[in-house]
Amino acid sequence: MTLHATAVPFKDGASTLFPGGLPARGGVGLKPEHFREIIESKPDIGFFEVHAENYMVDGGPFHHYLGRIRADYPLSIHGVGLSIGGESALDRQHLDRLAALIARYRPQSFSEHLAWSSHGDLFLNDLLPAPYNARTLDLVCGHIDQTQEHLRCRMLLENPATYVEFAASTMAETDFMAEVLRRTGCGLLLDVNNVYVSCINRGRDPNAWLDACFASIPLSSIAEIHLAGFAQDYDSSGASLLIDSHGSPVARAVWELYRRAIGRTGPLATLLERDNDIPPFQALLAEVSMAEKIMYADAPRALSGEVCA
Amino acid sequence: MNKPMTAAALALAFGAAMTVAAMPAAAQDKMSEKEKCFGVALKGKNDCKAGAGTSCAGTSKIDNQGNSWSFVPKGTCEKTASKTSPTGFGQANEFMEKKV
Amino acid sequence: MSGQQAFVDALLDFGPANQACPSGLATWNHSDPARRFAVYRNNVMISLIDALADGFPVTQELVGEAFFRGMARQFAIAHPPRSRILAYYGRDFPSFIETFLPAASLPYLADVARLEMLRVLAYHAADRETLTRDEIGAALADDSELTRRCLVLHPSVAVLQSNFAVVSLWGAHQGLGDIAAVDPTAPQTALVVRIGLDVNVVGIDAATGRFIGRLIQGATLADAAIYASTAEPRATEFDLVASLGVLLRWKTICEFSAFSEFSAPGTSER
């Protein structure tokens, strides 16, 4: 069995990604609502992240603005439609489109979700859950191997926000993810909001999740963090049911969890996601500052963004 | 126009058209064009968020519509001339969803 | 049946009860998994309705939000996406509207939606340089083959021929005129073209619309002109100079090319 450190595929130089990885700073999800303001005001921000599928169009304003913004900032391309956890085979055409996008923009990072969104020729446009067991593990690892080989880069896998559990699950989420990382050499995109949402929705302790994560996953394979806001709902018994809505500021409890995570990882590229009720750009910048304050005030390690180098 | 068109005639027409096209918009009223340019402010439609709420939470974006149709068009269409309604609004009440 | 097939079947069950739930789900507190599962069903439907609302803002304004979202919901049930790229979701929405009985009182609604879809397509169409005035002049000089040339138009260019006043109806929602003054039954033809980053909607006469529509399909200049001046019904006289003026003024021409494989196009323009 290969050691994890040597299993990392496509290190800098051999990779189609821009070398060096994302900087250990705060970043923001790029929204068309903010295109012009970003170009005009050139905010001091670490990086931008885009959803790959939105740029799978031939031309026009989206490519125009992304090209201009990419010239000034590091970029993360974050896929939402590959359906890595799906029973269906990966869509080779979609992989080709991802490869073209990566070739065009040379992002510092490419990531996708531990979830599925397609079934046969149906696209369901949501990140759907799968049971954590040996069968799903084989499926996910096969799809990640195929993706990394096709795109010729190391990808990051994001832990999901989930609302249900499966009787067929036999593994803890952290054990499942650790095994995926070990087998495929992919990195982890640690979505701290998803950790919180999923743990509350499964009656677990988010801090314990983080501890289990750090116990089983090498710090060096954690390459990015996501932060977002959730919405509060309730299940049929009146217990909290949290929705990963990306529609509000980051919750205090999630900031606390972030503080705990960054205390272990050191400063790390941290994305503020906002996809619903998008506020003025300045409001997002305030959250970015908060993240950078936490990562540099609380983190033991100085400036070590090149975790994937 | 039914005679065979010559290259020379077409080039001449292009020449005249280039003169027309170069004129300020006000001088082109006879072309009876209405035009306006607006940037389309489209959003990116693929994302990884969840829509707010389940089928029971209290937001206006909730998909809690049953399948019995109870809407009539209530927008700017109400300001247009009603003579354009050959079937009338009564149609709406008779609508039942076809089984998918 | 696979686990995900059962999940999908329950996910897309938008029946009145809204309670379908696949087997094999668990909850930590033994609450009803159907309630939690409903989050996914809700996500799917809301995201699709939102995607349609984004692409068809005038259609929504015409009928109001409640009617529009209800109609979009029925469409999403009948036509769930087959592509992972949602930018183009709704291509079939105008045809759906045309057959949607509750909207039958607004016969122009489908064509307004068609115009909006053409704008979305133009917005995302490929980038391509168009010829400058000087380049066009040079291309015209001493071209004895001019009548047999085809025009390669910008990828965003499209024509919509409607039996309704689509340009005025759409324009009234952009602050161009009062909607109460619009006669929706007046036939209009729209040219859609992106210049730089801006998508334009231009009202043109029907014969010019036929001419440009034919050029888009690959006809030679001469054939397109003959078609535009002879096709029935002849609503307007074809004015070649005015039509070429539209093409020039809206910077649509990318290339004068040699005729190729023009196989008698039908009347697919609308």
Side-chain angles (χ1 to χ4, degrees):
Chain A
M1 183 60 65
T2 348
L3 289 174
H4 177 85
T6 56
V8 173
F10 304 107
K11 289 186 158 205
D12 278 7
S15 170
T16 49
L17 299 178
F18 194 89
L22 295 170
R25 292 201 53 193
V28 168
L30 180 61
K31 309 303 288 184
E33 291 88 334
H34 299 141
F35 280 158
R36 283 173 198 270
E37 183 173 352
I38 290 162
I39 282 170
E40 282 160 17
S41 69
K42 289 217 173 17
D44 177 25
I45 198 166
F47 67 101
F48 285 99
E49 184 163 290
V50 294
H51 296 137
E53 286 70 14
N54 288 333
Y55 294 84
M56 292 180 178
V57 293
D58 292 334
F62 280 28
H63 283 296
H64 170 86
Y65 286 114
L66 182 57
R68 289 183 64 180
I69 289 167
R70 174 68 185 97
D72 292 334
Y73 296 92
L75 178 69
S76 162
I77 291 186
H78 187 51
V80 297
L82 191 53
S83 204
I84 275 175
E87 288 169 355
S88 308
L90 292 186
D91 181 344
R92 295 189 64 87
Q93 218 186 350
H94 199 75
L95 283 171
D96 286 342
R97 289 190 290 248
L98 283 171
L101 210 56
I102 288 170
R104 178 167 181 173
Y105 291 105
R106 295 295 314 280
Q108 276 80 357
S109 174
F110 169 72
S111 50
E112 253 285 355
H113 297 83
L114 176 55
W116 57 286
S117 54
S118 280
H119 189 72
D121 70 338
L122 272 179
F123 176 60
L124 300 155
N125 196 38
D126 195 20
L127 297 166
L128 303 167
Y132 296 132
N133 56 27
R135 182 168 173 267
T136 310
L137 190 62
D138 288 343
L139 202 68
V140 166
C141 289
H143 285 165
I144 290 176
D145 286 343
Q146 187 188 352
T147 302
Q148 294 188 136
E149 279 162 29
H150 197 102
L151 302 180
R152 292 188 295 115
C153 67
R154 181 200 195 194
M155 60 165 280
L156 309 181
L157 187 68
E158 178 181 333
N159 57 297
T162 56
Y163 309 108
V164 297
E165 288 182 86
F166 294 90
S169 282
T170 56
M171 301 170 75
E173 186 168 69
T174 45
D175 291 340
F176 185 92
M177 298 218 55
E179 187 61 13
V180 171
L181 265 60
R182 195 185 64 76
R183 282 206 212 168
T184 65
C186 78
L188 174 64
L189 196 178
L190 176 62
D191 189 315
V192 175
N193 187 57
N194 287 357
V195 170
Y196 188 77
V197 163
S198 295
C199 284
I200 298 302
N201 289 346
R202 286 180 279 173
R204 312 274 209 289
D205 174 9
N207 289 321
W209 192 102
L210 271 192
D211 291 345
C213 171
F214 291 126
S216 55
I217 291 176
L219 289 177
S220 64
S221 45
I222 307 177
E224 187 186 345
I225 291 180
H226 273 183
L227 291 172
F230 57 78
Q232 172 80 53
D233 205 334
Y234 300 93
D235 73 5
S236 67
S237 68
S240 265
L241 172 56
L242 303 185
I243 314 288
D244 182 32
S245 61
H246 299 186
S248 56
V250 177
R252 180 192 294 258
V254 174
W255 280 121
E256 288 308 313
L257 204 57
Y258 174 65
R259 200 184 294 280
R260 190 179 174 101
I262 213 81
R264 296 293 299 271
T265 64
L268 197 56
T270 300
L271 182 84
L272 274 300
E273 295 183 290
R274 183 65 83 85
D275 296 303
N276 270 328
D277 296 329
I278 295 168
F281 193 68
Q282 293 302 321
L284 296 180
L285 285 182
E287 287 197 307
V288 168
S289 300
M290 177 75 172
E292 291 188 341
K293 187 162 159 278
I294 290 173
M295 80 172 86
Y296 286 104
D298 300 9
R301 238 157 63 188
L303 277 172
S304 57
E306 274 74 13
V307 285
C308 39
Chain B
M1 279 305 308
N2 292 330
K3 285 173 287 186
M5 188 184 289
T6 64
L10 192 53
L12 215 60
F14 256 110
M18 283 171 81
T19 311
V20 171
M23 280 192 292
Q28 300 183 25
D29 285 348
K30 64 181 166 59
M31 295 171 70
S32 70
E33 288 180 23
K34 284 183 206 151
E35 80 279 334
K36 185 76 183 177
C37 103
F38 288 99
V40 184
L42 290 176
K43 295 174 187 159
K45 297 187 181 78
N46 285 95
D47 57 44
C48 52
K49 67 162 195 253
T54 60
S55 55
C56 55
T59 102
S60 62
K61 298 268 181 172
I62 293 304
D63 169 45
N64 60 357
Q65 295 155 356
N67 287 347
S68 59
W69 189 263
S70 56
F71 305 111
V72 291
K74 274 191 179 159
T76 51
C77 68
E78 292 179 296
K79 298 179 194 159
T80 61
S82 60
K83 66 184 174 186
T84 64
S85 306
T87 53
F89 286 123
Q91 192 82 51
N93 299 327
E94 293 158 23
F95 171 79
M96 293 295 285
E97 187 200 358
K98 284 169 282 188
K99 270 291 162 207
V100 184
Chain C
M1 187 168 63
S2 77
Q4 292 186 352
Q5 182 64 53
F7 202 96
V8 169
D9 290 345
L11 197 63
L12 298 182
D13 179 358
F14 296 105
N18 223 24
Q19 283 300 312
C21 184
S23 60
L25 297 186
T27 56
W28 67 277
N29 58 358
H30 308 292
S31 65
D32 181 3
R35 177 71 161 273
R36 288 168 176 267
F37 180 77
V39 174
Y40 292 105
R41 184 189 293 114
N42 186 58
N43 287 345
V44 171
M45 182 51 76
I46 286 180
S47 67
L48 297 182
I49 294 174
D50 284 347
L52 293 168
D54 186 43
F56 298 91
V58 173
T59 307
Q60 172 163 308
E61 279 188 66
L62 276 165
V63 297
E65 188 179 12
F67 186 97
F68 181 88
R69 292 188 77 85
M71 181 166 69
R73 183 179 191 276
Q74 299 297 332
F75 172 75
I77 291 169
H79 302 270
R82 306 280 163 177
S83 163
R84 299 159 195 237
I85 304 167
L86 279 187
Y88 305 121
Y89 184 57
R91 274 177 191 271
D92 301 328
F93 192 41
S95 302
F96 176 87
I97 292 173
E98 207 158 50
T99 60
F100 188 62
L101 283 178
S105 59
L106 306 173
Y108 52 79
L109 194 64
D111 274 0
V112 172
R114 282 193 177 92
L115 181 58
E116 294 201 288
M117 191 68 220
L118 289 179
R119 284 172 54 79
V120 169
L121 296 176
Y123 188 81
H124 294 305
D127 300 306
R128 183 156 179 190
E129 291 288 322
T130 53
L131 296 180
T132 64
R133 197 181 156 79
D134 287 349
E135 287 166 338
I136 290 171
L140 292 170
D142 299 322
D143 188 348
S144 60
E145 298 291 295
L146 192 55
T147 54
R148 287 192 284 170
R149 294 283 178 222
C150 300
L151 294 185
V152 177
L153 301 180
H154 190 270
S156 67
V157 173
V159 170
L160 176 68
Q161 295 208 292
S162 175
N163 291 324
F164 303 98
V166 279
V167 178
S168 300
L169 286 168
W170 182 82
H173 294 82
Q174 320 299 323
L176 299 174
D178 179 3
I179 192 167
V182 175
D183 173 9
T185 61
Q188 286 183 347
T189 300
L191 169 72
V192 177
V193 54
R194 192 182 80 228
I195 300 179
L197 303 179
D198 295 320
V199 177
N200 303 273
V201 173
V202 186
I204 57 177
D205 66 77
T208 297
R210 283 183 176 151
F211 177 65
I212 298 173
R214 208 66 164 182
L215 289 173
I216 292 170
Q217 292 174 323
T220 63
L221 280 162
D223 285 346
I226 290 167
Y227 174 74
S229 53
T230 58
E232 300 293 335
R234 297 181 63 178
T236 52
E237 283 299 314
F238 177 59
D239 181 338
L240 178 62
V241 172
S243 295
L244 293 173
V246 168
L247 290 176
L248 292 165
R249 187 156 166 236
W250 294 97
K251 302 190 185 358
T252 59
I253 303 173
C254 295
E255 188 186 336
F256 287 80
S257 71
F259 168 77
S260 71
E261 294 174 32
F262 175 51
S263 52
T267 49
S268 61
E269 84 248 46
R270 291 196 47 114

